[in-house]
Amino acid sequence: MRKARIALTAALVTTLGLGLTACGGGDSEDGAKEKESPAATAPTPEKESPSADAAGSEGGDAQPAGDVTAPGTGLKVGDKAVLPFEYAKKKGTLAITVTAIDKGAEADMSQFGARAKGLTPYFIKMKVENVGDTDLSRAYVQLRGLLDGGQSTGVSLIGDIPGKCDKESAPAEFGKGASFETCSLAASRSGDVTGAEFDDGDAYSDKPVVWTTG
């Protein structure tokens, strides 16, 4: 299985008092391209925390056939969400289960250099299963960390911490029934990361699916 790992010299950018900010994930044509893009990008606006009982779906044709988890749904760590997913211009359906949100130590961030001082990392671990008919080979999933109460951390990282938060891509053959485990790296300067959100696609960009530990 190929890893979409950023080099240890990954750069982080400080902007507008939000600390280190970057866009996470993204739909690249090949997971390997992520290795060539260690630099952080511009921050994205903070989103309001979605209500756990929000119902309904948006996006029209963006929704695949069959049952999917509605935009705005609130879940607990350990719960599974069935979600539409697009990668390399291929549309499919994934079942994502956040299995843990583990707190790391500031020392774990040493690979990011001096600008990471004061940041505490959090490891959003998940299982990803292909439950659709499209082979989504080499795809990877990125979830964003949320503070207690649903606020953005103001920090999003591109990279991983080997042995503690390994960012894995899907195998070369990733058809229906195949699964893999991966980790999204989050960090905070103040407050604990207690949630993770999926906001890919038009239907979920304003109403993400959110997992929380509480």
Side-chain angles (χ1 to χ4, degrees), residues 28-210:
S28 59
E29 292 292 327
D30 192 313
K33 290 185 180 179
E34 294 300 322
K35 295 180 67 176
E36 300 169 358
S37 305
T41 58
T44 54
E46 294 186 3
K47 297 186 180 73
E48 295 181 359
S49 175
S51 171
D53 59 0
S57 61
E58 300 177 354
D61 293 340
Q63 294 284 12
D67 295 332
V68 295
T69 302
T73 298
L75 301 171
K76 299 297 184 183
V77 168
D79 291 341
K80 178 189 295 185
V82 177
L83 299 161
F85 190 81
E86 183 173 353
Y87 181 79
K89 299 182 180 179
K90 296 186 293 184
K91 294 182 179 181
T93 310
L94 297 178
I96 301 173
T97 304
V98 174
T99 57
I101 301 177
D102 294 334
K103 184 177 182 178
E106 183 178 343
D108 295 328
M109 298 293 291
S110 60
Q111 68 186 53
F112 292 102
R115 291 181 180 179
K117 186 174 181 178
L119 282 175
T120 299
Y122 291 81
F123 313 137
I124 302 169
K125 299 178 180 179
M126 70 195 92
K127 179 181 178 180
V128 181
E129 181 183 0
N130 190 341
V131 294
D133 296 324
T134 304
D135 187 339
L136 294 169
S137 60
R138 305 299 189 191
Y140 69 93
V141 176
Q142 177 77 20
L143 301 182
R144 297 179 187 276
L146 297 173
L147 298 175
D148 193 23
Q151 299 90 352
S152 169
T153 65
V155 180
S156 183
L157 305 174
I158 300 174
D160 63 359
I161 297 177
K164 294 189 176 182
C165 188
D166 292 300
K167 184 177 180 179
E168 303 278 4
S169 61
E173 294 184 3
F174 189 53
K176 189 171 185 177
S179 65
F180 68 101
E181 294 183 0
T182 185
C183 179
S184 289
L185 178 61
S188 171
R189 288 195 184 279
S190 60
D192 291 332
V193 173
T194 60
E197 67 175 4
F198 173 92
D199 61 357
D200 285 356
D202 293 340
Y204 296 87
S205 60
D206 293 328
K207 295 182 178 180
V209 170
V210 173

